[in-house]
Amino acid sequence: MDDTYIHLVYGQSLFSADPLCFNSAEPSSGFTSPIWLLPSALASIFGTTGAPIVLMGFSLLAAGAALLLLPPVTGILLLMTGPFLFHASSGMETALSCLAVIAIWRCIRDGCGTTSASFILAGAFLVRPELAVLSIPIIVSMKNRTPGNIVRLVAPSLIAALLWMLWNIHSTGLLLPSTFYAKQPVSWFTSAISGLPGLLKGLLITSPLLLFTTAAAIAGLFKIRKKRRRAASMALIPLLLFAVSFYLQPNSFFQLRYYIPTLTAMVLATGYWLRGLKRRRLNAFILAVSMLPGLIIFAGRRADASYDVFSIDVRPARYLSSIASVEQTVAAADIGAVKWITGMDILDLDGLVTAERLPGPERKEWQWISVRADYLLAFPGQYSNFISEAGDSLEFLMGFGSDRNVICGEDSVALWKIL
């Protein structure tokens, strides 16, 4: 995945004189998982070619740890979940976020202490900030829900959030990471309406029965009288995760990437519900079989996605590295592989590490870009306005195509020299 390379660049920066700088000496906040920077830093030691493979291995370890924490039946159901399999070796923090959800589920189910819960919650927040919403079910499940205990629970997360916000303000002048502001060309409502059919299709492909079993499990948890508070807290986990995922990413981009923690919670609730059924194994078998088509589809997409990223991101970066100097600058959209492979400074067309390009009335356009970059690496369709405006100031160098367009947005990318 392209984001794997973004993490590697930030991870490698931890060993440099300019930590958390994507470009040399330019602080930025284009990452949403501070914890994932640690394995990224370790992986970066293995060089340009080896580091992505090692980081994919760390993803696989996180996925394996998540499965080991589950009862056998629930573990099998999670393993059969196509999007989970897709990202189990993606090199991104997705599998680790599933592990965090499972840890919080077990903490609520088994009634762990406030101190333990506080550090588990802080870890989940640093894996992916939206997981902070899980503080709500933890608070609901607390036996002694006093103000002091609530403060003890959220204090580590609040300290981490404050430090992160201070860094964001220092680097971009914004409270949240730039990833929350980049790539927002349309309103939330428009994105939700246009993306909802694809999202529902993706969820149904994952398993046509999982939505039903999750609804039944949530209803059953809310009806439990013994340990009612704990059961209600467990029921809230998939509901809250879906709500925050839909709010932040109301479409089916990235092969349901932002919904995988939600899918994990759905599997957890379903596995818990199945325990109370008379024919538990038969019902689990039927559910697992219903997941098989989705497993096959997403396994195929995993191979296609790697090929797509290689064709659209890696090959152009290798070619650019052969003709350009590391002292030059390239304006690009998919920035991860380009930076990791070439070492050039990046002017990010989407604003992830270039605050001047974040959407808004003060967004800098082509004239600002043309005097600061030596090359343009962009999707011809998405950035056709740049190409038209540039006119004769662009010299076409080479185009790159992919016949497996599943992740990069377009099936071709082109490289120009800016004259």
Side-chain angles (χ1 to χ4, degrees):
M1 305 298 103
D2 184 59
D3 285 1
T4 302
Y5 294 99
I6 294 177
H7 283 111
L8 284 172
V9 172
Y10 277 112
Q12 189 179 53
S13 75
L14 298 181
F15 296 124
S16 72
D18 301 307
L20 300 185
C21 293
F22 196 85
N23 292 321
S24 55
E26 292 182 14
S28 61
S29 62
F31 57 92
T32 52
S33 182
I35 280 185
W36 197 242
L37 297 182
L38 300 179
S40 299
L42 292 175
S44 70
I45 298 173
F46 292 86
T48 303
T49 303
I53 298 173
V54 173
L55 193 55
M56 289 167 66
F58 281 124
S59 284
L60 196 58
L61 286 174
L67 293 171
L68 288 174
L69 285 178
L70 297 175
V73 170
T74 308
I76 291 172
L77 293 178
L78 183 60
L79 187 60
M80 294 290 290
T81 307
F84 175 82
L85 178 67
F86 183 102
H87 280 279
S89 62
S90 67
M92 294 188 287
E93 80 287 351
T94 314
L96 189 60
S97 69
C98 297
L99 179 60
V101 170
I102 293 169
I104 290 176
W105 173 277
R106 285 172 58 101
C107 180
I108 292 174
R109 184 195 67 188
D110 301 335
C112 69
T114 302
T115 301
S116 299
S118 68
F119 286 105
I120 293 173
L121 180 63
F125 169 76
L126 290 172
V127 171
R128 191 174 285 178
E130 59 265 32
L131 295 184
V133 73
L134 296 183
S135 61
I136 297 173
I138 296 178
I139 292 172
V140 171
S141 70
M142 293 173 68
K143 290 182 179 179
N144 300 315
R145 201 163 57 245
T146 64
N149 281 338
I150 293 174
V151 169
R152 285 174 55 204
L153 173 71
V154 300
S157 299
L158 289 177
I159 293 171
L162 178 61
L163 293 174
W164 198 354
M165 285 191 294
L166 290 174
W167 173 257
N168 295 333
I169 293 171
H170 167 68
S171 59
T172 64
L174 300 169
L175 283 175
L176 301 176
S178 57
T179 52
F180 283 86
Y181 305 95
K183 299 184 179 180
Q184 297 294 330
V186 297
S187 69
W188 181 91
F189 181 78
T190 302
S191 184
I193 294 299
S194 62
L196 189 57
L199 171 60
L200 293 176
K201 178 183 176 182
L203 292 174
L204 288 173
I205 289 175
T206 298
S207 170
L209 299 180
L210 188 59
L211 292 175
F212 167 77
T213 57
T214 302
I218 291 172
L221 285 166
F222 276 124
K223 291 179 180 179
I224 292 177
R225 294 184 178 182
K226 187 179 180 181
K227 298 181 181 178
R228 176 179 298 179
R229 186 179 295 176
R230 188 175 299 175
S233 301
M234 293 161 64
L236 285 174
I237 292 178
L239 293 174
L240 289 172
L241 286 177
F242 180 83
V244 73
S245 299
F246 188 73
Y247 176 76
L248 294 174
Q249 191 73 27
N251 51 48
S252 56
F253 289 165
F254 306 115
Q255 289 70 43
L256 299 178
R257 172 186 174 187
Y258 293 95
Y259 292 88
I260 297 177
T262 304
L263 287 167
T264 300
M266 292 168 66
V267 169
L268 290 171
T270 294
Y272 192 84
W273 173 68
L274 286 173
R275 297 192 316 169
L277 300 183
K278 293 183 179 179
R279 298 177 179 178
R280 177 173 64 91
R281 292 184 179 180
L282 176 61
N283 284 284
F285 176 76
I286 293 172
L287 182 58
V289 170
S290 76
M291 290 176 153
L292 190 58
L295 184 71
I296 295 171
I297 290 172
F298 280 96
R301 286 184 180 179
R302 180 66 184 87
D304 288 344
S306 293
Y307 177 86
D308 196 22
V309 171
F310 177 79
S311 301
I312 298 298
D313 294 331
V314 175
R315 286 182 59 229
R318 289 179 177 176
Y319 174 73
L320 180 60
S321 182
S322 70
I323 64 172
S325 165
V326 293
E327 285 78 24
Q328 292 181 301
T329 299
V330 55
D334 280 2
I335 61 174
V338 179
K339 176 65 178 181
W340 177 251
I341 293 172
T342 68
M344 300 170 65
D345 277 351
I346 303 293
L347 195 159
D348 183 12
L349 297 177
D350 291 328
L352 197 66
V353 297
T354 305
E356 293 85 354
R357 280 290 300 166
L358 288 173
E362 298 181 358
R363 188 179 200 181
K364 305 298 183 182
E365 298 297 342
W366 172 249
Q367 186 175 0
W368 183 87
I369 294 170
S370 63
V371 298
R372 288 168 174 79
D374 302 288
Y375 294 90
L376 173 66
L377 181 62
F379 300 116
Q382 187 176 350
Y383 295 97
S384 58
N385 58 323
F386 282 173
I387 301 167
S388 300
E389 189 176 347
D392 295 336
S393 65
L394 288 180
E395 177 188 346
F396 177 78
L397 296 179
M398 186 173 289
F400 304 85
S402 170
D403 57 2
R404 304 180 194 178
N405 180 27
V406 298
I407 198 168
C408 290
E410 290 188 29
D411 60 3
S412 64
V413 68
L415 178 66
W416 292 268
K417 183 177 178 59
I418 301 175
L419 305 177

